[in-house]
Amino acid sequence: MFRSQRRATAIGSGFALLELIFHSAVRSIRRSHGNAVVGLLLNLAQTILMVVIFYLIFEMVGLRGAAIRGNYLLFMMSGIFMYMTHVKAIGAVLKADGPTSAMMKHAPMNTVVSISAAALGALYIQVLSVTVVLYFYHVVIEPITIDQPVGAMGMLLLSWITGVAIGMVFRAARPWQPTAVGLVSSIYMRANMIASGKMFVANAVPGFVLQFFDWNPLFHTIDQGRGFIFLNYFPHHSSIGYPVAVMLACLMIGLMGEFYTRMHASMSWGAGR
């Protein structure tokens, strides 16, 4: 009762919020595995395994000649990196602490902090994995050159933020229909193995086939990312504006839905299910 109360300024409150998000992000990263190094190695193993699987598929089906002129493995890795960043962001947002979590009993904590921390933790792990894989490939196997690394990194971040926005929509709807929304989100993430278009070059695909892929914002970020990565590739059937528009729309819908859901949250919500 004798403690002096300071008035928090806007800048001080902002830094306090960023500090809280940072510590929550560290907690979300350590949640997947107690040892941070082992957690990174598991993510690296998952990425490398996917690259090997798609390499074998391309070799057996004979699609290697359909890749972009340039480094063949870099073509595959570019799609796989953005795909994994996208789906990991969706999964992280869905698994973030909700309004009925025990962490929400602590006064500074709220769902915005938990979602932001989970999303940033997923981004950290993916960026670190991409850096390690590309470094060892460049040093051990053969040197690689990325034409516009800043633009390529921008498309990786756009893949991440679109995953966060879509995950927000799933998250807001899940408490109302957990089984249906869980099934739809799982189908979406599994379907992106094909629907993301990471296995082919968009410029070389007929128009009647592209209509099955151009609805997907991840298809656009992967194709645009390859335009930044490879010197001789210029995307003609994708745009940066479309995933940005989808991201903004889903983010607004997800935030409004999350606010409405949080207002009706209850510890006994799923007791009857």
Side-chain angles (χ1 to χ4, degrees), residues 111-139:
T111 54
V112 174
V113 172
S114 67
I115 293 170
S116 301
L120 289 173
L123 178 64
Y124 169 77
I125 290 293
Q126 288 307 121
V127 170
L128 193 58
S129 299
V130 168
T131 303
V132 172
V133 170
L134 289 179
Y135 174 77
F136 277 98
Y137 182 78
H138 179 79
V139 172

Side-chain angles (χ1 to χ4, degrees), residues 43-102:
N43 198 79
L44 284 172
Q46 186 178 6
T47 303
I48 294 171
L49 180 62
M50 188 170 292
V51 171
V52 171
I53 290 174
F54 276 96
Y55 179 83
L56 295 176
I57 291 175
F58 270 61
E59 287 292 332
M60 289 187 294
V61 179
L63 295 176
R64 181 166 181 168
I68 297 172
R69 186 175 61 182
N71 191 293
Y72 174 56
L73 276 176
L74 185 59
F75 165 78
M76 286 198 307
M77 287 190 293
S78 62
I80 291 171
F81 290 157
M82 295 186 195
Y83 162 77
M84 291 196 65
T85 302
H86 184 77
V87 298
K88 291 286 186 178
I90 295 175
V93 170
L94 283 172
K95 294 176 183 177
D97 291 325
T100 58
S101 171

Side-chain angles (χ1 to χ4, degrees), residues 74 134 144-150 152 228-230:
L74 185 59
L134 289 179
I144 57 175
T145 301
I146 297 177
D147 182 40
Q148 301 179 53
V150 175
F228 289 115
I229 293 171
F230 295 96

Side-chain angles (χ1 to χ4, degrees), residues 156-185:
L156 185 72
L157 292 176
L158 188 56
S159 300
W160 168 74
I161 192 64
T162 52
V164 172
I166 293 172
M168 285 291 297
V169 176
F170 288 141
R171 177 187 174 87
R174 186 175 61 175
W176 303 96
Q177 289 293 332
T179 303
V181 174
L183 180 62
V184 171
S185 62

